[in-house]
Amino acid sequence: MNKIALACLAGIAMVAKTGPAEAKWLRADTDSFIIYSESNEKSLREFAQNLQRFDTTLRLLFKVEAPGEESKLPIYLVPAMGDVAELATGSSRASIAGFYRQDRDGSFAMSFRQNNPSAVIGTSASQQVLFHEYSHHFMKRHLRAAFPAWLIEGFAEYYSTVDFDKQGRAMVGQPVYRRAYGLLQMPKIPADRLLLEQPRTMRSSGQIDVYYGRAWVLTHMLFQSAARKDQINTYTNAINAGTEPRQAATDAFGDLAALDQDLNRYIQGKLSYNTTRDAIPVSTNIRITSLSADEDAVVMLRLERLNARSDAARLTKARDALRELAAEQPANADVQFELAAAEWDMDRDKRDLAAMQAALDKVLAARPDHVRANVLLGRLKLHQLREKGEDDPAAWREARRPIQLANRTDPDDAVPLYAYFDSFRAEGKRPSDMAIKALERAFTLTPENIEMRVAYAFALADRGEFDPALRLAKSVAFDPHDNGRGDAMLARLEAMRDRRASGKGDPAAADAAD
């Protein structure tokens, strides 16, 4: 165990510098990731090795036996921090250095390549941001429990600074120096607020920075302090057993005012970190290829489309740019797919479904087994049937065929599986047993996906399995990135449980997940 002081870093600020972008996109496939970058092959390989090594470290620490993932996480690396911010918000001036997103079309993460190692002690800013975001993904995928918001963020911060010494051993729990100023110079957030409030309730970016910092230090103290050994397990077990959050905290940590005092003293001391006994191996299973000219031409527009879904003006601009590119490259199946997807992403009154169909026809003429194009075609057909009020079961079965083809093409892609389940809700029918199995498989592949998690929780409740359903609901309700949806979901599931217990009606008929 080693110790490092934090206080001397309170005045350090980090400045990002923009560098030139390379011309050609490369793809690195590892056991757990698909990484896209315009960097050269040598630097991409080193990056991929380091990221896979971090994943191996987490698997070792949390006893995850599988060496990799069936459903790999795509990661996009752009040149500089400002490029990440612009994709995330539309403005390069936003204070966003990386992010992780998931929706019904899958998860992905974004970070940047440019490093400024002299600006701060410790690992690079880009590595810390990406390790933070991947820690969220790992926690949701492999730690099957509900965790409160402060621990979700504290966990990600704690593991964001993992580095490897000259012997290849992982150093875990090193200081997060970028939080030093907020921790030591800004007004403190008391432990009871930290434990019981969501970060979205903080009133300023400064308060949010303090929240993240104190969440990290509290996590660090509970992980590292011998005096508080096993308190975190007692606390999370109580939360998952249904104990009220304040009571769970008091039972596990004792008086919360005393916990706050301990936390303040801990910040001022030297922080310990651990080193693994053995070296963490460097993966040799990394394959780097150049993207085809067709896919290379559309990567940045794909990223703009994916990140503009909540901004109608940005999405329209991305769709219009894809229209122009598709007109210039009518034989480019990748461009045609992105155009079709952009049309589908538009608000319903702004969609051009004829243009979407035409683009999909071009994709599938060139690549009949294109997985996501077949899913999109199935969704389009289902939408058209629902709009006209079709009640012929044969028509609905026919509309599902492209989705079934997509699943046969790639059984480890959760998107076709979930689309098949969702097709029954589009029809207004109770999902078949096969559809429920498809949903279960989709959830197994991507448990981090909140939409699939919600659907699976309601499917469990429909079968009367309320305990696991409510645990899933709590994991959504506690998520600091959820924006409050989980609370309503939890209330609905509890109402379903109470109705089932009282024998009043069919809970599935009244409360099928939206």
Side-chain angles (χ1 to χ4, degrees), residues 3-4 7 14 63 143 180 217 304 336 352 357 389 442:
K3 292 182 179 288
I4 299 178
M14 187 170 61
K63 297 179 173 57
L143 308 186
V217 175
E304 182 63 19
Q336 297 297 335
D352 186 339
Q357 179 72 67

Side-chain angles (χ1 to χ4, degrees), residues 175-247:
V176 184
Y177 289 117
R178 67 184 183 279
R179 301 297 178 194
Y181 180 83
L183 283 168
L184 299 171
Q185 303 297 327
M186 298 283 286
K188 297 176 175 61
I189 296 174
D192 61 343
R193 284 192 64 199
L194 182 67
L195 290 165
L196 301 172
E197 294 184 21
Q198 290 270 8
R200 62 176 176 268
T201 65
M202 302 297 112
R203 293 192 295 269
S204 68
S205 59
Q207 275 198 331
I208 291 173
D209 182 66
V210 175
Y211 181 99
Y212 274 65
R214 286 181 74 83
W216 158 59
V217 175
L218 179 56
T219 303
H220 195 285
M221 182 173 77
L222 294 171
F223 281 3
Q224 300 287 132
S225 171
R228 292 188 176 274
K229 184 180 180 181
D230 292 331
Q231 287 185 354
I232 192 69
N233 291 329
T234 301
Y235 170 72
T236 54
N237 288 340
I239 288 285
N240 282 271
T243 304
E244 187 271 330
R246 180 179 290 277
Q247 187 64 51

Side-chain angles (χ1 to χ4, degrees), residues 297-334:
V298 80
V299 172
M300 288 307 298
L301 284 173
R302 176 197 302 159
L303 292 176
E304 182 63 19
R305 174 184 71 80
L306 290 171
N307 290 296
R309 283 174 164 172
S310 60
D311 185 328
R314 281 182 65 196
L315 184 56
T316 300
K317 186 176 179 181
R319 188 272 312 272
D320 292 347
L322 284 162
R323 282 180 174 178
E324 292 180 14
L325 188 58
E328 295 170 5
Q329 302 182 24
N332 185 333
D334 293 290

Side-chain angles (χ1 to χ4, degrees), residues 106-121:
S107 305
F108 69 96
M110 289 204 65
S111 188
F112 61 98
R113 299 191 306 272
Q114 182 270 332
N115 290 326
N116 189 15
S118 63
V120 68
I121 293 176

Side-chain angles (χ1 to χ4, degrees), residues 431-467:
S432 66
D433 290 343
M434 184 178 294
I436 296 296
K437 289 179 180 178
L439 175 61
E440 289 175 346
R441 174 64 176 158
F443 178 74
T444 298
L445 288 166
T446 57
E448 72 278 1
N449 188 297
I450 289 179
E451 183 171 343
M452 295 181 193
R453 186 172 288 221
V454 169
Y456 188 50
F458 278 97
L460 289 170
D462 185 26
R463 297 194 308 216
E465 299 177 31
F466 285 102
D467 287 344

Side-chain angles (χ1 to χ4, degrees), residues 2 42 70 148 154 178 268 285 293 430 475 493 503:
N2 305 276
K42 180 177 181 293
E70 294 176 289
R178 67 184 183 279
Q268 298 294 335
N285 186 27
R430 182 187 293 272
S475 71
L493 285 168

